[in-house]
Amino acid sequence: MSEEATKVIPFPRRRSPGPGTARARKVIAVGGGKGGIGKSLVSANLGIALAGRGATVVLLDADLGGANLHTCLGVGQPTVSLSDFINNRVARLEDTIVPSGIERLGLIAGAHDGLDAANPRHAQKTRLLRHLRALDVDYVILDLGAGTAFNVLDFFLAADLGLVVLLPEPTSIENAYRFIKTSFFRRMQGLTDPGVAEAMSVVLSGRDPTARTPWDLVTRLRIDNPAGATQLEMLLGGFHPWLVVNQARTRADHDIGPTIAAAWKKFFGLELGYLGTVGHDDAVWMAVRARQALLTTAPSSAASLGVMRLAENLLALDR
Amino acid sequence: MKPFAAQSYYELLEISASASAAEVRGAWQRLTRMYADDQLALYGLATPETAAALRKRLLEAMEVLSDDELRSMYDEELGLPPRDPAREEPEASQLEMGELLRGADHSVASTHPRVAFTWSEPAGPPVAPPPPPGFVPPSTGAATPRPSPSAPAAELPVPVAAPFSPVAELPVPVAAPSAPVAAPSAPVAELPVPVAELPVPVAAPSAPVAAPPRAAEAERLSEEHALSMLPRASPVPAPAPRASAPPPAAPERPRMPELAPDTEYNGELLRKVRTALGLSLAEVAERTRIGAKHLENVEADRYDQLPATVYLRGILMSLAKELRLDGLKVARSYLLLVERIRSKG
Ligand SMILES: Nc1ncnc2c1ncn2[C@@H]1O[C@H](COP(=O)(O)OP(=O)(O)O)[C@@H](O)[C@H]1O
Ligand SMILES: [Mg+2]
């Protein structure tokens, strides 16, 4: 990987809505450790649900390797896509938005033309994020690719809200923890104070007997590097992913989200929210087969209701 | 927010400082079940050792907070104002360990017999004590029970700040991060599904992780390192030299021993102070309501016959008070010795 591609994108400032506007302008990233866990399902239908509640939404298929968000929406392969923007064939990101068939919901289809788009350079990522934030909508939802590549993590971390999708099964839970940990470490690489960054990497590698956790480091830095301590504290406190459990079948499956969030906090002292659970539902694959959006074809199915609760919880975060 | 090893007992049990003994017990039961080894949610998060360490701390927290006397002392150590006794549960101090432990995690069950002791209420206003070992100074974040500037004006006695998990059914007392993150208000409640047993057997976790695809630095950012972020059990204190003067044979009112700031308070020294004050063991036992047997064992440095640390701390503090010594200092010093010997054994 090139030197440039590994550079950390600066952590974004949360925008306060401009005067006279009620726009949240929130970028939501939907990630998770592996493929096939419902990231696209959640992204697409969350978009539909938010649009249904009156928000303007743009869905961006950021799965640079396996874009298929359009299928989840029941839209054919669009003629214009993210690759046109990444490769500078289109100057403005707005011009890649295609209608989704749903009011107030636009789609930016995923890149389809090969390796170049699957591995954007740092400058391209920065440009994409800048344009994303400039979109005049309430929510931008990024449907991320699988895995923990820096390209995925950087979009996850750059978002205002990072959702981690997981299934209630050991492999998926393990992957979710891995995803969260790796993105945390990636975030720590964004420390600009070289002294703090160095100290932090020692802590994270377990080689510092005096500071076993990042919080110990904050305490220690407080004495001789208060500014560094504050920077680290902000970075730690601002790391706050949200869990979405998908394909829950049993009662215990419905409990797993809150438990994971609580366990993470207990063991690491870091924040992790729980946004909600979507049940396993045959309506999902029936919709996929029919190449229709779940919320459009089966709005009263259990899975749809689950997604709508996610949307309500998201909206409540902004209240 | 801090990891469990640095959390106060209240934070550990995710309860407020005004929680009743029943709430303490309920929280302990819920959390012990939640962090049982067969919990799916722990898969890939905690090693069995780490989970066991957490359960041990939970048990300790429950033991202290469900005992009126121990809890008062603990609160004092934390700098919490005295609780309103009207709100307390009457049977709080009558707690039976056997009953509590039934159906619970026996692997961490306290093997120490419950000590029958109560001691006289400490008189006078509590002196602001130095933070006891194991506590994290308030500067580390908003999660300390002391009100901190970043914690939005919460009522004083509550060591936990407003939760901002969207799950209403989880009474997680998330400490407000002193971080800049805009703590969202709690969103809509979800599924009030009661805790159910998870029948899923889970193999021992701690599978190694594929390191992020980057050079040396990132290579280390693996899961093991994440786990190594986890604090170990209580740190082993640096060994201190042991006083070895033979006990004076003459019981006739001996001289008060020298007490320097770094004096190590072993049983022998405590006995010297007692005799210098002209107090008999029976008198101290009578005044402190601590069993003479315990006092004898303390003075004879018979560490293997002493009760669990949580009780021992209380005994030492009461004894020190009777001997007009600094209770915290004595307890800390003595417990270091005990710890050292026990960890050797
Ligand atoms: N709640 C659910 N109930 C039933 N099947 C589901 C559910 N969520 C996802 N699936 C199935 O899993 C497949 C993969 O989902 P998808 O959203 O494409 O995953 P990802 O984007 O994470 O790769 C879907 O095609 C669907 O068949
Ligand atoms: Mg997908």
Side-chain angles (χ1 to χ4, degrees):
Chain A
M1 203 178 297
S2 79
E3 170 79 1
E4 224 187 1
T6 60
K7 243 192 275 167
V8 179
I9 298 176
F11 190 70
R13 294 263 141 74
R14 173 80 146 275
R15 280 208 196 177
S16 51
T21 75
R23 305 236 135 134
R25 287 238 179 78
K26 215 173 220 189
V27 177
I28 300 170
V30 182
K34 59 177 198 161
I37 54 172
K39 295 183 295 296
S40 299
L41 171 92
V42 167
S43 304
N45 291 286
L46 197 53
I48 298 173
L50 289 170
R53 293 283 268 104
T56 50
V57 185
V58 163
L59 275 169
L60 185 143
D61 194 339
D63 187 345
L64 299 173
N68 61 3
L69 195 55
H70 56 280
T71 311
C72 292
L73 286 167
V75 180
Q77 172 69 51
T79 51
V80 59
S81 77
L82 187 58
S83 7
D84 296 309
F85 176 77
I86 290 178
N87 296 322
N88 285 308
R89 286 192 293 270
V90 167
R92 301 182 323 155
L93 190 61
E94 277 114 299
D95 297 336
T96 62
I97 301 175
V98 297
S100 68
I102 285 145
E103 211 183 331
R104 288 182 295 274
L105 180 67
L107 168 70
I108 299 176
H112 275 275
D113 49 2
L115 294 170
D116 217 28
N119 228 337
R121 287 179 296 113
H122 180 72
Q124 291 173 320
K125 282 193 278 188
T126 312
R127 173 167 163 260
L128 176 54
L129 282 166
R130 200 176 60 237
H131 279 250
L132 272 179
R133 297 201 162 272
L135 289 177
D136 186 24
V137 291
D138 296 322
Y139 292 98
V140 174
I141 300 177
L142 305 179
D143 178 16
L144 298 182
T148 52
F150 284 160
N151 274 330
V152 173
L153 296 181
D154 286 347
F155 284 113
F156 183 77
L157 290 172
D160 300 306
L161 217 62
L163 311 192
V164 180
V165 180
L166 65 107
L167 309 181
E169 58 190 37
T171 44
S172 178
I173 289 171
E174 198 176 9
N175 273 310
Y177 281 131
R178 185 170 304 163
F179 182 86
I180 297 169
K181 283 175 194 170
T182 326
S183 56
F184 173 73
F185 297 142
R186 178 64 171 163
R187 185 177 162 94
M188 287 303 119
Q189 290 176 336
L191 281 164
T192 52
D193 184 324
V196 179
E198 172 56 26
M200 187 65 192
S201 78
V202 176
V203 171
L204 290 181
S205 69
R207 287 179 285 122
D208 188 338
T210 65
R212 303 224 69 92
T213 76
W215 291 108
D216 293 342
L217 185 58
V218 172
T219 312
R220 202 178 69 200
L221 286 170
R222 185 85 62 208
I223 299 160
D224 45 30
N225 184 356
T230 304
Q231 194 202 3
L232 178 56
E233 199 174 14
M234 285 171 64
L235 220 48
L236 292 178
F239 184 74
H240 192 309
W242 293 83
L243 290 178
V244 171
V245 177
N246 186 27
Q247 298 197 22
R249 291 167 211 255
T250 66
R251 203 146 229 247
D253 289 352
H254 280 92
D255 284 337
I256 201 106
T259 306
I260 289 174
W264 172 264
K265 290 180 211 172
K266 220 29 160 206
F267 286 106
F268 291 93
L270 297 168
E271 289 300 336
L272 181 60
Y274 164 66
L275 198 65
T277 296
V278 178
H280 183 274
D281 193 337
D282 285 348
V284 175
W285 64 260
M286 282 164 69
V288 172
R289 275 225 191 143
R291 271 178 273 152
Q292 295 282 316
L294 170 73
L295 245 66
T296 321
T297 48
S300 53
S301 65
S304 288
L305 296 178
V307 173
M308 286 191 281
R309 273 197 310 268
L310 296 180
E312 291 308 317
N313 284 344
L314 272 177
L315 290 167
L317 290 178
D318 285 330
R319 258 179 234 127
Chain B
M1 167 143 291
K2 299 179 255 79
F4 73 85
Q7 289 179 0
S8 76
Y9 289 154
Y10 293 105
E11 291 169 302
L12 264 174
L13 291 177
E14 302 172 5
I15 51 175
S16 81
S18 60
S20 70
E23 283 167 326
V24 168
R25 243 170 302 159
W28 172 75
Q29 262 162 354
R30 182 178 71 83
L31 292 169
T32 302
R33 207 161 31 211
M34 189 156 141
Y35 298 115
D37 275 331
D38 60 355
Q39 253 295 358
L40 186 57
L42 297 191
Y43 191 75
L45 177 69
T47 61
E49 294 78 44
T50 316
L54 171 60
R55 291 193 300 267
K56 193 167 160 233
R57 276 220 10 108
L58 288 169
L59 178 68
E60 189 181 304
M62 185 275 288
E63 285 180 337
V64 170
L65 296 189
S66 55
D67 182 298
D68 261 356
E69 299 290 341
L70 291 175
R71 183 169 175 177
S72 299
M73 289 181 139
Y74 182 76
D75 285 354
E76 200 182 314
E77 283 179 13
L78 282 187
L80 292 174
R83 273 173 315 140
D84 177 5
R87 292 206 49 191
E88 276 165 33
E89 232 192 23
E91 85 275 24
S93 53
Q94 308 296 313
L95 212 60
E96 267 309 317
M97 298 307 277
E99 174 221 326
L100 281 174
L101 294 169
R102 207 179 306 131
D105 183 358
H106 290 281
S107 64
V108 298
S110 168
T111 50
H112 304 286
R114 184 165 158 75
V115 193
F117 70 86
T118 49
W119 52 80
S120 44
E121 203 54 47
V127 205
F135 287 99
V136 168
S139 63
T140 42
T144 37
R146 282 163 224 267
S148 87
S150 50
E155 314 88 274
L156 189 67
V158 186
V160 288
F164 58 102
S165 150
V167 234
E169 78 265 31
L170 243 201
V172 186
V174 182
S178 32
V181 77
S185 56
V188 186
E190 251 226 81
L191 302 158
V193 190
V195 184
E197 298 295 342
L198 264 183
V200 190
V202 177
S206 83
V209 88
R214 206 197 179 191
E217 202 47 50
E219 215 87 61
R220 286 198 291 277
L221 303 177
S222 69
E223 195 160 337
E224 287 108 292
H225 303 134
L227 290 172
S228 72
M229 289 162 53
L230 297 174
R232 306 275 148 83
S234 39
V236 181
R242 193 83 205 270
S244 56
E252 274 319 303
R253 198 83 183 255
R255 292 254 304 275
M256 181 59 92
E258 290 275 314
L259 297 173
D262 59 344
T263 295
E264 180 180 76
Y265 291 93
N266 57 21
E268 196 182 307
L269 179 63
L270 293 173
R271 196 182 58 77
K272 279 187 192 159
V273 173
R274 175 177 60 75
T275 48
L277 290 170
L279 291 165
S280 75
L281 203 73
E283 275 174 293
V284 175
E286 167 65 30
R287 286 205 223 176
T288 57
R289 310 277 202 87
I290 300 171
K293 190 80 215 144
H294 283 311
L295 289 176
E296 234 176 271
N297 286 335
V298 166
E299 289 194 348
D301 288 307
R302 282 194 283 266
Y303 304 141
D304 54 328
Q305 290 172 44
L306 292 171
T309 303
V310 290
Y311 296 120
L312 184 54
R313 181 180 287 121
I315 290 176
L316 291 166
M317 303 234 322
S318 299
L319 173 60
K321 192 162 149 278
E322 214 48 55
L323 300 181
R324 296 174 217 161
L325 298 171
D326 178 342
L328 279 169
K329 207 186 258 173
V330 170
R332 190 176 309 169
S333 174
Y334 196 96
L335 289 171
L336 281 181
L337 284 170
V338 176
E339 169 102 354
R340 212 171 79 218
I341 303 300
R342 277 183 183 165
S343 66
K344 266 190 209 147

